Amino acid sequence: MVSKVFFIDGGDYTGNSEKCFRLISEKFSGSVALKTHFGEEKNTTHINPEWITSLGTYFKNPVFVDCNVLYRGMRTRRTDHVELAKRHGFGFLPIDILDGEMGEEELEVPVNLGTTKNARLGAGIERYGNWVALTHFKGHIATGFGGCIKNVGMGLGSRAGKLDMHSVVSPVVRQEKCVACGKCVADCPADAISINGKAKIDSDKCIGCAHCIAVCPNSAIDIPWEMLDNTNNALMERICEYAYAALRGRKWWFMNYMVNITYDCDCMNIAQKPFMKDVGIVLSEDIVAADQASYDLISEVVGYDPFKKKFGVDGAYQLEYGEKIGLGSRKYVLERL
Ligand code: SF4
Ligand code: SF4
């Protein structure tokens, strides 16, 4: 199968978003759920809400949706999550956090793919039939890059679902660098770190959220690169399996904003600098084709896969596995919009 992917370059992201919404609206009727990521508190490179204010013009009852996250922060509970979304400028439409106040509202969807028997999604997913993934395409330490597959698969997992997907990756403390300051202990959402002279991670408790890596002032916490290939591939497989559960029985369009492209994801509670120039927006009804095209366009501009070079993780595996389980096609034709 060869899927169609629309591509728009140029810096008018408001006008270009509007072109995409017009095209999607011709095929949608009824209310629309807009799956996006509002950015962690200090993140400034998430999708700029000013680009997408025309959503209300093109869609009937559009609603921004997301689920709560595993780690401590403004997106851990619904009340704070909505408050943060409004603070970041998304308050011009209703905001629906699909897994409840604390992540307790979930729906088990039988998948029986790979290691996922039942995907645990935010229960509110059942409220909507038409979906648009509004995704900021950027790097990710554990999956190489994060596009629509990650936005949908990881993003629509309930808190327990996210734990289920993440539990295959656990960082380690490089003992020689640790000064026992305790910052990682205080930040760990799973109480998985203790200090006995130096910090130590209990891999049985660790949920693989990777926040200790960001919080350590001495860069003492790291992914065990020597074991990474298998664990990261397993994480990508689970994300694809969750995306499969989220897509089934629903009508979807997928948009990747290759704008303000950073190495780290929008979950990092820091302001980041883009590492390359903006590329544009892609739009497709095929989630794999949308991510494949974005990955290809970025690699073409840089001249190589910048995410693989940075993290040593081959993010293209999620495209390969996504295609294998029938999420979509890696083959596409690019059409300028
Ligand atoms: S934050 Fe880093 S230096 Fe501090 S205790 Fe944890 S691992 Fe050690
Ligand atoms: S040890 Fe690190 S990766 Fe594991 S749960 Fe705690 S903060 Fe997250």
Side-chain angles (χ1 to χ4, degrees), residues 15-165:
N16 292 346
S17 298
E18 206 167 333
K19 277 187 198 168
C20 295
F21 301 154
R22 191 179 302 125
L23 192 147
I24 298 170
S25 67
E26 287 165 9
K27 308 212 176 179
F28 268 179
S29 60
S31 60
V32 176
L34 307 155
K35 170 64 186 82
T36 197
H37 184 317
F38 306 114
E40 200 40 74
E41 204 172 355
K42 291 181 188 157
N43 175 268
T44 53
T45 40
H46 54 79
I47 289 177
N48 184 342
E50 288 174 12
W51 301 334
I52 56 175
T53 50
S54 64
L55 281 164
T57 309
Y58 290 97
F59 300 113
K60 192 174 153 194
N61 303 326
V63 179
F64 288 123
V65 301
D66 202 357
C67 287
N68 292 308
V69 297
L70 277 174
Y71 51 86
R72 287 187 196 125
M74 283 291 286
R75 297 190 309 130
T76 310
R77 295 179 179 222
R78 173 165 55 195
T79 309
D80 295 339
H81 201 158
V82 171
E83 165 61 27
L84 177 67
K86 288 181 179 169
R87 217 188 279 166
H88 282 189
F90 292 88
F92 64 95
L93 293 180
I95 297 162
D96 188 4
I97 303 301
L98 303 175
D99 59 340
E101 179 64 20
M102 299 282 285
E104 71 285 3
E105 294 171 18
E106 61 175 8
L107 174 76
E108 291 207 9
V109 179
V111 183
N112 291 316
L113 284 168
T115 53
T116 308
K117 282 203 167 41
N118 297 303
R120 304 172 76 168
L121 306 177
I125 192 170
E126 290 207 297
R127 291 194 274 274
Y128 307 96
N130 296 320
W131 290 74
V132 181
L134 291 168
T135 307
H136 174 218
F137 196 97
K138 68 275 164 196
H140 190 278
I141 190 169
T143 60
F145 58 81
C148 284
I149 294 175
K150 183 150 189 308
N151 182 22
V152 171
M154 181 59 72
L156 288 177
S158 65
R159 193 190 305 282
K162 287 187 171 79
L163 189 151
D164 180 33
M165 284 180 271

Side-chain angles (χ1 to χ4, degrees), residues 4-6 20 23-24 253-255 281-285 337:
K4 188 182 281 187
V5 177
F6 298 99
C20 295
L23 192 147
I24 298 170
W253 278 87
F254 305 97
M255 290 176 70
I281 302 171
V282 301
L283 168 68
S284 181
E285 288 179 277
L337 197 61

Side-chain angles (χ1 to χ4, degrees), residues 170-171 184 187-190 192-193 201 205-213:
S170 181
C184 57
D187 201 62
C188 175
I193 313 179
I201 294 173
K205 286 187 180 172
C206 174
I207 55 172
C209 69
H211 275 255
C212 50
I213 295 171

